[in-house]
Amino acid sequence: QDEAKLFGDKAIEDANSIIAKIKEKHQKDLVIETVEKGPEKSAAAKWAEKRFAETGADGVYIVITTQPKLFEIVVSPKTREKGYITMANRDEIKSILAKNLKDKRDDALVKIAQYTLEAMNENAKKYAPRLVKDEAKLFSDKAVKDVDAIVTKIRETHQKDLFIETLEKGIDVKEFAGWARERADKAGVDGVYIVITTMPKHFQVVVGDKTRESGLF
């Protein structure tokens, strides 16, 4: 929404195309608007947060004003808490605007949209649910599909993992517990890890320290 007429039609078209990809891929919003008259700098942050809340959007909100010349970036709590946009990402968006907004406005618009998409793509990999890995083929496709849906809900609701994997070859039962914990740590599991092996026929459940200390499990 370019009320202040800061950007060219081509830049707006390109940015809107990227914004549509963000919505389609991550179900998150990137709302960018320009207005002529804004508040004093000291009141800008709270003013921007209020405007963002009124949109009902979930994602990133960027408002740019010409009187006074300033911009504010707000990240919704859900987007921040789930790791889609970190404070470092927010700072990078701020840097892109600071460097380009004065002399390269159209570049600034497209760059912040593109950076937001790329940041969400990268962060989503880290926070994506860890689906069942049934190497030993112990479960039916239906069971795996049903559990994957539950695993996804756990990730979305609690930002925690439930990673279940099956292997044909394991390790001596006496060393199994330590081996399972090493696998969980190496995989970066933050939550609950369950490994099942067929040789030997054994399983181990590992609960991450942070998850146990938080009382979630």
Side-chain angles (χ1 to χ4, degrees):
Q1 297 180 347
D2 188 20
E3 178 188 303
K5 305 299 181 185
L6 296 181
F7 307 117
D9 292 342
K10 178 65 166 57
I12 291 174
E13 182 181 349
D14 290 346
N16 280 337
S17 177
I18 297 168
I19 289 170
K21 289 180 182 178
I22 291 171
K23 188 66 173 180
E24 179 183 357
K25 191 167 185 179
H26 301 291
Q27 293 76 56
K28 293 291 179 182
D29 301 302
L30 171 58
V31 179
I32 303 171
E33 68 170 342
T34 72
V35 296
E36 291 185 354
K37 293 184 179 181
E40 293 296 322
K41 188 173 183 179
S42 60
K46 289 186 177 180
W47 172 77
E49 289 176 2
K50 183 180 178 181
R51 288 182 71 90
F52 188 20
E54 290 172 352
T55 69
D58 174 25
V60 180
Y61 172 71
I62 300 169
V63 59
I64 303 167
T65 66
T66 56
Q67 298 175 27
K69 292 183 179 180
L70 57 81
F71 61 82
E72 287 291 332
I73 304 161
V74 184
V75 181
S76 67
K78 288 183 180 179
T79 299
R80 187 174 62 250
E81 289 164 8
K82 290 188 176 183
Y84 277 95
I85 290 293
T86 65
M87 292 307 293
N89 296 143
R90 179 186 176 281
D91 289 345
E92 181 60 26
I93 294 171
K94 182 178 180 181
S95 177
I96 292 170
L97 285 170
K99 291 177 181 177
N100 297 279
L101 192 55
K102 183 178 179 180
D103 300 318
K104 300 177 180 178
R105 292 175 182 172
D106 286 357
D107 286 351
L109 178 64
V110 176
K111 283 181 177 179
I112 58 176
Q114 186 63 38
Y115 175 78
T116 301
L117 174 60
E118 291 172 357
M120 286 190 179
N121 288 346
E122 188 61 30
N123 291 334
K125 293 178 185 177
K126 300 175 185 177
Y127 295 95
R130 296 177 181 274
L131 305 181
V132 175
K133 190 175 180 182
D134 188 20
E135 182 182 300
K137 305 299 180 185
L138 297 181
F139 307 117
S140 68
D141 291 343
K142 174 70 165 55
V144 169
K145 184 177 180 180
D146 289 347
V147 172
D148 281 346
I150 296 169
V151 166
T152 300
K153 287 182 181 179
I154 292 172
R155 166 50 69 179
E156 291 177 348
T157 305
H158 302 290
Q159 294 79 57
K160 291 292 180 181
D161 299 310
L162 170 57
F163 182 32
I164 303 170
E165 72 169 338
T166 72
L167 303 167
E168 291 185 355
K169 292 184 180 180
I171 197 170
D172 187 274
V173 172
K174 294 179 181 179
E175 301 176 3
F176 209 94
W179 172 78
R181 181 162 288 280
E182 286 180 5
R183 289 186 68 86
D185 290 344
K186 187 176 181 180
V189 176
D190 178 19
V192 179
Y193 171 70
I194 301 171
V195 59
I196 306 167
T197 63
T198 56
M199 294 186 295
K201 291 183 178 180
H202 199 68
F203 66 84
Q204 191 73 35
V205 181
V206 178
V207 181
D209 293 338
K210 290 181 180 179
T211 301
R212 188 175 61 253
E213 291 167 3
S214 70
L216 282 173
F217 195 86

